[in-house]
Amino acid sequence: VFGVIVLTLVFDRYLARLAQVTEALAGGEERLQRIADTVPALIAITRVSDGRVLYANRRWYEFMGETPGPGVEHYARGEHVDPRRRDELVEAVHRDGSVDDFECQIRSRQGERHWALISARPVNYAGDAAITRNACAAYLSRTVSRISSAAV
């Protein structure tokens, strides 16, 4: 009987601590989401195996013309004007460990094409091998547009 009481007390303390940790993690995740949503760069984490977007910040969704939500799947392969460039990006991350200033054209859902500079790093996200990417696309596209207009 004494052993059962001690075990019950230990288990109750464990559950209480687990609840505290879970609450702290949820608060941390919420803070991180708020921070990521204020960054002007497009941020996305994509699964290596199929290019599925596992996470994206608000700016990525706005730029791509996509809507976040449960049951809605997005794939990085569709955002690259030339899908071979995505493959080259993934290969470079595997080969070099990271990539900076990778130039490519990306396409929004509406079909608008934009030049982008992408930085990418390998990560493990929720147990999946993934790549975190951030892109400076809007600024670069506007700059290229201005330069092109000035040249004409």
Side-chain angles (χ1 to χ4, degrees):
V1 174
F2 181 70
V4 172
I5 293 171
V6 170
L7 183 58
T8 302
L9 288 172
V10 169
F11 189 68
D12 285 347
R13 286 184 184 155
Y14 170 77
L15 288 179
R17 181 68 183 135
L18 183 60
Q20 290 172 339
V21 169
T22 302
E23 186 177 325
L25 286 174
E29 186 175 336
E30 188 177 305
R31 278 191 302 277
L32 182 59
Q33 180 69 48
R34 282 196 311 264
I35 291 167
D37 283 345
T38 64
V39 174
L42 284 61
I43 300 172
I45 297 175
T46 56
R47 188 166 44 211
V48 172
S49 62
D50 60 2
R52 181 171 180 232
V53 176
L54 302 173
Y55 167 83
N57 69 341
R58 180 181 52 81
R59 183 70 181 121
W60 183 89
Y61 282 108
E62 289 171 356
F63 190 84
M64 290 299 171
E66 299 280 353
T67 305
V72 180
E73 294 184 355
H74 308 282
Y75 291 86
R77 188 171 298 281
E79 72 189 41
H80 288 266
V81 171
D82 181 353
R84 293 173 300 190
R85 292 295 284 157
R86 179 199 178 265
D87 295 338
E88 291 171 14
L89 175 63
V90 171
E91 288 171 19
V93 169
H94 286 306
R95 181 185 63 242
D96 304 330
S98 67
V99 173
D100 288 310
D101 302 328
F102 183 87
E103 294 180 34
C104 66
Q105 271 193 306
I106 56 177
R107 175 185 315 124
S108 71
R109 186 174 192 175
Q110 293 76 19
E112 298 169 338
R113 295 177 176 202
H114 301 276
W115 283 101
L117 285 176
I118 296 178
S119 292
R121 307 283 184 272
V123 295
N124 184 312
Y125 187 84
D128 285 316
I131 293 177
T132 182
R133 302 172 297 136
N134 67 70
C136 298
Y139 173 77
L140 184 60
S141 289
R142 285 194 298 268
T143 303
V144 168
S145 252
R146 279 190 229 119
I147 292 169
S148 296
S149 297
V152 173

